[in-house]
Amino acid sequence: MSPRKEGPSGLVVVDKPGGLTSHGVVSRMRRLAGTRRVGHAGTLDPMATGVLVIGVERATRLLGHLALTEKEYAATIRLGQSTVTDDAEGDVTSEASAAEVTRAAVDAGVAALTGAILQVPSKVSAIKVNGVRSYTRVREGEEFELAARPVTVSAFTVRETRVPDGAPGLLDLDVTVTCSSGTYIRALARDLGAGLGVGGHLTALRRTRVGPYDLTGARTLEQLEESFEVLPIERAAAAAFPRWDVDADQARLLGNGVRIGTPALGAGTHAAFGPDGRFLALVEEQQGHAKIVAGFAQ
C-alpha cells in the first residue's frame, strides 16, 4: 500500500461566523482540504466571530506556538446584568441599575483590569478541573471555584458608551482589548461589572487579530468554498516568528535534529530557513546553541 500523498501544508485565516463552534470550522476545513490533518489555534466560542487560524497538514504543528501569541478583540460589555455564563447566552442571575455609573467610574474600572493581572476564568470555559471540563461541571449544577491565573491585558479601551433602547437601567460599552493568550474577555466583562457594583456580561465578541494574522487576510467560509487555498507554511512561519537563515551545512544538521551553534538570536522562538528558502524548524537559543522546539524539515 503506497503512502498517502500529503497536500499543501499551510495556514488558513478564517473569519468565523457566529453560531458555529471552532470544531465545526475544522470539520468544514477537513472537507475542503481533503485531509483530516487540520486543527485550530485558540478556540472561539460559538457566539464569537472573527479570526480563527486553521493549520493544514504539517502546519498543524505550528498551532500550539501560534496559540501563545498576543490577541486582539472588539467586544460589547453590558453593565447592569450578570449571567451564569458571563455572556448573553446564559440566564440572568442578578440585575442592578447602571444608570448612575459615570464614565469616570468606568475608566477607573477598566484601568484596574489593565496590565499584568490575576484573572479567574469563566466557569463555562474549557479548563479541566480534576479531568472534567469546567463547563461540564456548570451544566451538571456543581458548585466549585477556579483558581486565578496571571494574564496580561496590554490595552483595554472604551470606544463608545450607550443606553440600549428600552433599557434605561443598562449601559453598553463598546471596547477593544489586546491581551495575552489565556485571557477571557467574558471574565473582563464580569469583573468590570462586579467592580462597579452593578454586574456585567459580554453581549458581542469579535477577534480581530491572532499574532500577525488579522481580519485583512481572513476569508469567510463562503469565500473558501468558492476558492480554497492555504498560506504556505514558509510564509506562515516567516510572518509569525523572527527569521534565522542558515547555510547548507547548518540546514543539513538541523534537518537531522542536531543542535548547532547560533548567533545571538535573542529570546523567544525563531524560524530557521535553509538557503533554498525551505522552512526547517522552530528553534530557541539555549546557551549558544539552537534548541529545536519543533522540526519541519521532513
mmCIF file of all heavy atoms in Angstrom, residues 115-153:
data_model
loop_
_atom_site.group_PDB
_atom_site.id
_atom_site.type_symbol
_atom_site.label_atom_id
_atom_site.label_comp_id
_atom_site.label_asym_id
_atom_site.label_seq_id
_atom_site.Cartn_x
_atom_site.Cartn_y
_atom_site.Cartn_z
ATOM 1 N N GLY A 115 -3.051 45.700 32.310
ATOM 2 C CA GLY A 115 -1.702 45.356 32.750
ATOM 3 C C GLY A 115 -1.614 43.893 33.144
ATOM 4 O O GLY A 115 -2.390 43.054 32.695
ATOM 5 N N ALA A 116 -0.643 43.572 33.983
ATOM 6 C CA ALA A 116 -0.486 42.205 34.483
ATOM 7 C C ALA A 116 -1.468 42.003 35.630
ATOM 8 O O ALA A 116 -1.352 42.661 36.677
ATOM 9 C CB ALA A 116 0.942 41.973 34.941
ATOM 10 N N ILE A 117 -2.443 41.135 35.443
ATOM 11 C CA ILE A 117 -3.486 40.934 36.447
ATOM 12 C C ILE A 117 -3.660 39.445 36.726
ATOM 13 O O ILE A 117 -3.197 38.592 35.976
ATOM 14 C CB ILE A 117 -4.840 41.528 35.991
ATOM 15 C CG1 ILE A 117 -5.346 40.803 34.736
ATOM 16 C CG2 ILE A 117 -4.724 43.027 35.758
ATOM 17 C CD1 ILE A 117 -6.767 41.191 34.320
ATOM 18 N N LEU A 118 -4.340 39.154 37.824
ATOM 19 C CA LEU A 118 -4.773 37.790 38.122
ATOM 20 C C LEU A 118 -6.244 37.694 37.753
ATOM 21 O O LEU A 118 -7.067 38.479 38.218
ATOM 22 C CB LEU A 118 -4.568 37.463 39.597
ATOM 23 C CG LEU A 118 -3.120 37.253 40.048
ATOM 24 C CD1 LEU A 118 -3.069 37.060 41.563
ATOM 25 C CD2 LEU A 118 -2.509 36.054 39.346
ATOM 26 N N GLN A 119 -6.586 36.719 36.913
ATOM 27 C CA GLN A 119 -7.957 36.595 36.427
ATOM 28 C C GLN A 119 -8.501 35.201 36.728
ATOM 29 O O GLN A 119 -7.846 34.198 36.450
ATOM 30 C CB GLN A 119 -8.013 36.858 34.923
ATOM 31 C CG GLN A 119 -9.416 36.797 34.334
ATOM 32 C CD GLN A 119 -9.418 36.933 32.832
ATOM 33 O OE1 GLN A 119 -9.031 35.997 32.126
ATOM 34 N NE2 GLN A 119 -9.841 38.092 32.321
ATOM 35 N N VAL A 120 -9.696 35.164 37.285
ATOM 36 C CA VAL A 120 -10.398 33.894 37.474
ATOM 37 C C VAL A 120 -11.155 33.609 36.180
ATOM 38 O O VAL A 120 -12.013 34.384 35.774
ATOM 39 C CB VAL A 120 -11.382 33.959 38.651
ATOM 40 C CG1 VAL A 120 -12.164 32.645 38.761
ATOM 41 C CG2 VAL A 120 -10.644 34.254 39.949
ATOM 42 N N PRO A 121 -10.849 32.507 35.491
ATOM 43 C CA PRO A 121 -11.535 32.205 34.230
ATOM 44 C C PRO A 121 -13.038 32.043 34.418
ATOM 45 O O PRO A 121 -13.523 31.739 35.513
ATOM 46 C CB PRO A 121 -10.892 30.893 33.782
ATOM 47 C CG PRO A 121 -9.590 30.839 34.497
ATOM 48 C CD PRO A 121 -9.825 31.511 35.809
ATOM 49 N N SER A 122 -13.773 32.242 33.334
ATOM 50 C CA SER A 122 -15.203 31.974 33.357
ATOM 51 C C SER A 122 -15.440 30.494 33.644
ATOM 52 O O SER A 122 -14.715 29.628 33.166
ATOM 53 C CB SER A 122 -15.823 32.342 32.016
ATOM 54 O OG SER A 122 -17.162 31.921 31.962
ATOM 55 N N LYS A 123 -16.468 30.202 34.410
ATOM 56 C CA LYS A 123 -16.750 28.808 34.755
ATOM 57 C C LYS A 123 -17.213 27.989 33.560
ATOM 58 O O LYS A 123 -17.188 26.764 33.606
ATOM 59 C CB LYS A 123 -17.780 28.742 35.883
ATOM 60 C CG LYS A 123 -17.214 29.111 37.247
ATOM 61 C CD LYS A 123 -18.200 28.816 38.356
ATOM 62 C CE LYS A 123 -17.578 29.074 39.722
ATOM 63 N NZ LYS A 123 -18.509 28.766 40.835
ATOM 64 N N VAL A 124 -17.640 28.642 32.490
ATOM 65 C CA VAL A 124 -18.054 27.879 31.310
ATOM 66 C C VAL A 124 -16.904 27.750 30.312
ATOM 67 O O VAL A 124 -17.104 27.503 29.141
ATOM 68 C CB VAL A 124 -19.286 28.518 30.616
ATOM 69 C CG1 VAL A 124 -20.504 28.386 31.488
ATOM 70 C CG2 VAL A 124 -19.027 29.971 30.257
ATOM 71 N N SER A 125 -15.685 27.909 30.800
ATOM 72 C CA SER A 125 -14.509 27.714 29.965
ATOM 73 C C SER A 125 -14.219 26.225 29.821
ATOM 74 O O SER A 125 -14.837 25.380 30.474
ATOM 75 C CB SER A 125 -13.292 28.414 30.576
ATOM 76 O OG SER A 125 -12.928 27.787 31.793
ATOM 77 N N ALA A 126 -13.238 25.918 28.951
ATOM 78 C CA ALA A 126 -12.869 24.514 28.711
ATOM 79 C C ALA A 126 -11.791 24.025 29.670
ATOM 80 O O ALA A 126 -11.285 22.913 29.515
ATOM 81 C CB ALA A 126 -12.401 24.345 27.277
ATOM 82 N N ILE A 127 -11.447 24.835 30.658
ATOM 83 C CA ILE A 127 -10.435 24.419 31.633
ATOM 84 C C ILE A 127 -10.897 23.151 32.355
ATOM 85 O O ILE A 127 -12.071 23.016 32.711
ATOM 86 C CB ILE A 127 -10.192 25.555 32.649
ATOM 87 C CG1 ILE A 127 -9.499 26.731 31.957
ATOM 88 C CG2 ILE A 127 -9.369 25.075 33.833
ATOM 89 C CD1 ILE A 127 -9.383 27.954 32.834
ATOM 90 N N LYS A 128 -9.957 22.232 32.550
ATOM 91 C CA LYS A 128 -10.287 20.982 33.231
ATOM 92 C C LYS A 128 -10.059 21.113 34.737
ATOM 93 O O LYS A 128 -9.055 21.661 35.179
ATOM 94 C CB LYS A 128 -9.451 19.829 32.679
ATOM 95 C CG LYS A 128 -9.874 19.373 31.280
ATOM 96 C CD LYS A 128 -9.109 18.133 30.852
ATOM 97 C CE LYS A 128 -9.588 17.629 29.505
ATOM 98 N NZ LYS A 128 -8.873 16.402 29.073
ATOM 99 N N VAL A 129 -11.004 20.604 35.494
ATOM 100 C CA VAL A 129 -10.899 20.513 36.948
ATOM 101 C C VAL A 129 -10.985 19.034 37.302
ATOM 102 O O VAL A 129 -12.028 18.403 37.098
ATOM 103 C CB VAL A 129 -12.019 21.310 37.644
ATOM 104 C CG1 VAL A 129 -11.864 21.203 39.161
ATOM 105 C CG2 VAL A 129 -12.031 22.761 37.195
ATOM 106 N N ASN A 130 -9.873 18.481 37.775
ATOM 107 C CA ASN A 130 -9.801 17.046 38.061
ATOM 108 C C ASN A 130 -10.234 16.211 36.857
ATOM 109 O O ASN A 130 -10.962 15.215 36.985
ATOM 110 C CB ASN A 130 -10.656 16.704 39.285
ATOM 111 C CG ASN A 130 -10.138 17.354 40.547
ATOM 112 O OD1 ASN A 130 -8.928 17.536 40.714
ATOM 113 N ND2 ASN A 130 -11.044 17.720 41.448
ATOM 114 N N GLY A 131 -9.784 16.643 35.675
ATOM 115 C CA GLY A 131 -10.039 15.880 34.463
ATOM 116 C C GLY A 131 -11.368 16.138 33.790
ATOM 117 O O GLY A 131 -11.654 15.572 32.732
ATOM 118 N N VAL A 132 -12.212 17.006 34.373
ATOM 119 C CA VAL A 132 -13.536 17.284 33.809
ATOM 120 C C VAL A 132 -13.587 18.755 33.386
ATOM 121 O O VAL A 132 -13.176 19.634 34.143
ATOM 122 C CB VAL A 132 -14.652 16.988 34.835
ATOM 123 C CG1 VAL A 132 -16.021 17.291 34.238
ATOM 124 C CG2 VAL A 132 -14.575 15.538 35.290
ATOM 125 N N ARG A 133 -14.096 19.016 32.176
ATOM 126 C CA ARG A 133 -14.213 20.382 31.692
ATOM 127 C C ARG A 133 -15.073 21.215 32.638
ATOM 128 O O ARG A 133 -16.113 20.759 33.129
ATOM 129 C CB ARG A 133 -14.840 20.420 30.291
ATOM 130 C CG ARG A 133 -14.049 19.682 29.217
ATOM 131 C CD ARG A 133 -12.772 20.407 28.867
ATOM 132 N NE ARG A 133 -12.088 19.749 27.745
ATOM 133 C CZ ARG A 133 -10.888 20.094 27.312
ATOM 134 N NH1 ARG A 133 -10.220 21.076 27.927
ATOM 135 N NH2 ARG A 133 -10.326 19.471 26.299
ATOM 136 N N SER A 134 -14.633 22.473 32.846
ATOM 137 C CA SER A 134 -15.367 23.357 33.748
ATOM 138 C C SER A 134 -16.810 23.542 33.303
ATOM 139 O O SER A 134 -17.744 23.525 34.111
ATOM 140 C CB SER A 134 -14.647 24.712 33.836
ATOM 141 O OG SER A 134 -15.315 25.584 34.703
ATOM 142 N N TYR A 135 -17.031 23.718 31.977
ATOM 143 C CA TYR A 135 -18.403 23.947 31.507
ATOM 144 C C TYR A 135 -19.298 22.731 31.750
ATOM 145 O O TYR A 135 -20.507 22.869 31.936
ATOM 146 C CB TYR A 135 -18.428 24.366 30.042
ATOM 147 C CG TYR A 135 -17.773 23.420 29.054
ATOM 148 C CD1 TYR A 135 -18.339 22.188 28.729
ATOM 149 C CD2 TYR A 135 -16.594 23.780 28.404
ATOM 150 C CE1 TYR A 135 -17.749 21.334 27.822
ATOM 151 C CE2 TYR A 135 -15.986 22.929 27.482
ATOM 152 C CZ TYR A 135 -16.579 21.712 27.197
ATOM 153 O OH TYR A 135 -15.982 20.861 26.287
ATOM 154 N N THR A 136 -18.708 21.523 31.768
ATOM 155 C CA THR A 136 -19.486 20.320 32.069
ATOM 156 C C THR A 136 -19.953 20.346 33.512
ATOM 157 O O THR A 136 -21.096 19.994 33.823
ATOM 158 C CB THR A 136 -18.645 19.063 31.804
ATOM 159 O OG1 THR A 136 -18.258 19.041 30.430
ATOM 160 C CG2 THR A 136 -19.432 17.802 32.130
ATOM 161 N N ARG A 137 -19.087 20.771 34.401
ATOM 162 C CA ARG A 137 -19.458 20.854 35.819
ATOM 163 C C ARG A 137 -20.580 21.878 36.028
ATOM 164 O O ARG A 137 -21.473 21.667 36.855
ATOM 165 C CB ARG A 137 -18.229 21.214 36.654
ATOM 166 C CG ARG A 137 -17.173 20.106 36.677
ATOM 167 C CD ARG A 137 -15.957 20.506 37.505
ATOM 168 N NE ARG A 137 -14.976 19.436 37.551
ATOM 169 C CZ ARG A 137 -14.973 18.437 38.436
ATOM 170 N NH1 ARG A 137 -15.923 18.399 39.350
ATOM 171 N NH2 ARG A 137 -14.051 17.505 38.408
ATOM 172 N N VAL A 138 -20.511 23.003 35.252
ATOM 173 C CA VAL A 138 -21.568 24.010 35.363
ATOM 174 C C VAL A 138 -22.902 23.421 34.919
ATOM 175 O O VAL A 138 -23.930 23.587 35.591
ATOM 176 C CB VAL A 138 -21.214 25.258 34.514
ATOM 177 C CG1 VAL A 138 -22.419 26.198 34.421
ATOM 178 C CG2 VAL A 138 -20.032 25.996 35.113
ATOM 179 N N ARG A 139 -22.903 22.718 33.770
ATOM 180 C CA ARG A 139 -24.142 22.137 33.252
ATOM 181 C C ARG A 139 -24.741 21.130 34.232
ATOM 182 O O ARG A 139 -25.960 20.963 34.303
ATOM 183 C CB ARG A 139 -23.885 21.454 31.906
ATOM 184 C CG ARG A 139 -23.718 22.418 30.741
ATOM 185 C CD ARG A 139 -23.955 21.701 29.422
ATOM 186 N NE ARG A 139 -23.006 20.617 29.211
ATOM 187 C CZ ARG A 139 -21.905 20.716 28.481
ATOM 188 N NH1 ARG A 139 -21.610 21.882 27.916
ATOM 189 N NH2 ARG A 139 -21.089 19.692 28.324
ATOM 190 N N GLU A 140 -23.870 20.466 34.988
ATOM 191 C CA GLU A 140 -24.349 19.456 35.942
ATOM 192 C C GLU A 140 -24.732 20.068 37.285
ATOM 193 O O GLU A 140 -25.116 19.350 38.216
ATOM 194 C CB GLU A 140 -23.271 18.392 36.131
ATOM 195 C CG GLU A 140 -23.015 17.564 34.870
ATOM 196 C CD GLU A 140 -21.859 16.598 35.025
ATOM 197 O OE1 GLU A 140 -21.132 16.705 36.048
ATOM 198 O OE2 GLU A 140 -21.673 15.749 34.128
ATOM 199 N N GLY A 141 -24.631 21.407 37.373
ATOM 200 C CA GLY A 141 -25.065 22.100 38.577
ATOM 201 C C GLY A 141 -24.091 22.033 39.740
ATOM 202 O O GLY A 141 -24.457 22.324 40.888
ATOM 203 N N GLU A 142 -22.856 21.668 39.474
ATOM 204 C CA GLU A 142 -21.867 21.531 40.539
ATOM 205 C C GLU A 142 -21.373 22.890 41.010
ATOM 206 O O GLU A 142 -21.173 23.813 40.213
ATOM 207 C CB GLU A 142 -20.691 20.702 40.026
ATOM 208 C CG GLU A 142 -19.627 20.428 41.074
ATOM 209 C CD GLU A 142 -18.511 19.549 40.526
ATOM 210 O OE1 GLU A 142 -18.750 18.848 39.521
ATOM 211 O OE2 GLU A 142 -17.410 19.586 41.112
ATOM 212 N N GLU A 143 -21.156 23.022 42.282
ATOM 213 C CA GLU A 143 -20.579 24.235 42.866
ATOM 214 C C GLU A 143 -19.067 24.046 43.001
ATOM 215 O O GLU A 143 -18.618 23.061 43.598
ATOM 216 C CB GLU A 143 -21.190 24.535 44.240
ATOM 217 C CG GLU A 143 -22.666 24.926 44.194
ATOM 218 C CD GLU A 143 -22.876 26.262 43.504
ATOM 219 O OE1 GLU A 143 -21.976 27.130 43.595
ATOM 220 O OE2 GLU A 143 -23.925 26.429 42.861
ATOM 221 N N PHE A 144 -18.294 24.940 42.450
ATOM 222 C CA PHE A 144 -16.834 24.836 42.516
ATOM 223 C C PHE A 144 -16.234 26.208 42.223
ATOM 224 O O PHE A 144 -16.916 27.126 41.767
ATOM 225 C CB PHE A 144 -16.309 23.804 41.501
ATOM 226 C CG PHE A 144 -16.566 24.181 40.063
ATOM 227 C CD1 PHE A 144 -15.581 24.781 39.297
ATOM 228 C CD2 PHE A 144 -17.816 23.948 39.487
ATOM 229 C CE1 PHE A 144 -15.827 25.129 37.983
ATOM 230 C CE2 PHE A 144 -18.065 24.290 38.172
ATOM 231 C CZ PHE A 144 -17.064 24.894 37.420
ATOM 232 N N GLU A 145 -14.948 26.338 42.495
ATOM 233 C CA GLU A 145 -14.233 27.583 42.230
ATOM 234 C C GLU A 145 -13.013 27.288 41.364
ATOM 235 O O GLU A 145 -12.361 26.241 41.520
ATOM 236 C CB GLU A 145 -13.788 28.247 43.538
ATOM 237 C CG GLU A 145 -14.944 28.663 44.454
ATOM 238 C CD GLU A 145 -15.828 29.716 43.834
ATOM 239 O OE1 GLU A 145 -15.299 30.542 43.061
ATOM 240 O OE2 GLU A 145 -17.042 29.713 44.132
ATOM 241 N N LEU A 146 -12.708 28.203 40.467
ATOM 242 C CA LEU A 146 -11.494 28.112 39.665
ATOM 243 C C LEU A 146 -10.428 29.028 40.240
ATOM 244 O O LEU A 146 -10.738 30.104 40.770
ATOM 245 C CB LEU A 146 -11.785 28.520 38.210
ATOM 246 C CG LEU A 146 -12.696 27.580 37.406
ATOM 247 C CD1 LEU A 146 -12.983 28.188 36.040
ATOM 248 C CD2 LEU A 146 -12.060 26.212 37.259
ATOM 249 N N ALA A 147 -9.190 28.605 40.139
ATOM 250 C CA ALA A 147 -8.084 29.419 40.650
ATOM 251 C C ALA A 147 -7.782 30.562 39.692
ATOM 252 O O ALA A 147 -7.932 30.441 38.472
ATOM 253 C CB ALA A 147 -6.844 28.544 40.832
ATOM 254 N N ALA A 148 -7.351 31.684 40.252
ATOM 255 C CA ALA A 148 -6.958 32.837 39.441
ATOM 256 C C ALA A 148 -5.662 32.519 38.702
ATOM 257 O O ALA A 148 -4.806 31.784 39.205
ATOM 258 C CB ALA A 148 -6.771 34.058 40.327
ATOM 259 N N ARG A 149 -5.529 33.063 37.499
ATOM 260 C CA ARG A 149 -4.354 32.848 36.669
ATOM 261 C C ARG A 149 -3.773 34.186 36.231
ATOM 262 O O ARG A 149 -4.520 35.138 35.971
ATOM 263 C CB ARG A 149 -4.729 32.030 35.421
ATOM 264 C CG ARG A 149 -5.309 30.672 35.742
ATOM 265 C CD ARG A 149 -5.641 29.907 34.487
ATOM 266 N NE ARG A 149 -6.009 28.529 34.792
ATOM 267 C CZ ARG A 149 -5.945 27.539 33.931
ATOM 268 N NH1 ARG A 149 -5.551 27.755 32.684
ATOM 269 N NH2 ARG A 149 -6.282 26.312 34.291
ATOM 270 N N PRO A 150 -2.442 34.253 36.111
ATOM 271 C CA PRO A 150 -1.848 35.507 35.641
ATOM 272 C C PRO A 150 -2.046 35.679 34.142
ATOM 273 O O PRO A 150 -1.782 34.759 33.359
ATOM 274 C CB PRO A 150 -0.364 35.346 35.985
ATOM 275 C CG PRO A 150 -0.136 33.866 36.026
ATOM 276 C CD PRO A 150 -1.420 33.251 36.498
ATOM 277 N N VAL A 151 -2.546 36.839 33.739
ATOM 278 C CA VAL A 151 -2.694 37.193 32.327
ATOM 279 C C VAL A 151 -2.249 38.643 32.165
ATOM 280 O O VAL A 151 -2.095 39.375 33.150
ATOM 281 C CB VAL A 151 -4.148 37.028 31.823
ATOM 282 C CG1 VAL A 151 -4.604 35.582 31.944
ATOM 283 C CG2 VAL A 151 -5.097 37.953 32.570
ATOM 284 N N THR A 152 -2.049 39.044 30.926
ATOM 285 C CA THR A 152 -1.657 40.424 30.658
ATOM 286 C C THR A 152 -2.646 41.062 29.694
ATOM 287 O O THR A 152 -2.868 40.548 28.590
ATOM 288 C CB THR A 152 -0.248 40.498 30.053
ATOM 289 O OG1 THR A 152 0.684 39.933 30.975
ATOM 290 C CG2 THR A 152 0.147 41.942 29.778
ATOM 291 N N VAL A 153 -3.251 42.140 30.134
ATOM 292 C CA VAL A 153 -4.127 42.944 29.288
ATOM 293 C C VAL A 153 -3.348 44.203 28.938
ATOM 294 O O VAL A 153 -3.255 45.133 29.736
ATOM 295 C CB VAL A 153 -5.447 43.290 30.005
ATOM 296 C CG1 VAL A 153 -6.341 44.147 29.112
ATOM 297 C CG2 VAL A 153 -6.172 42.009 30.426
#
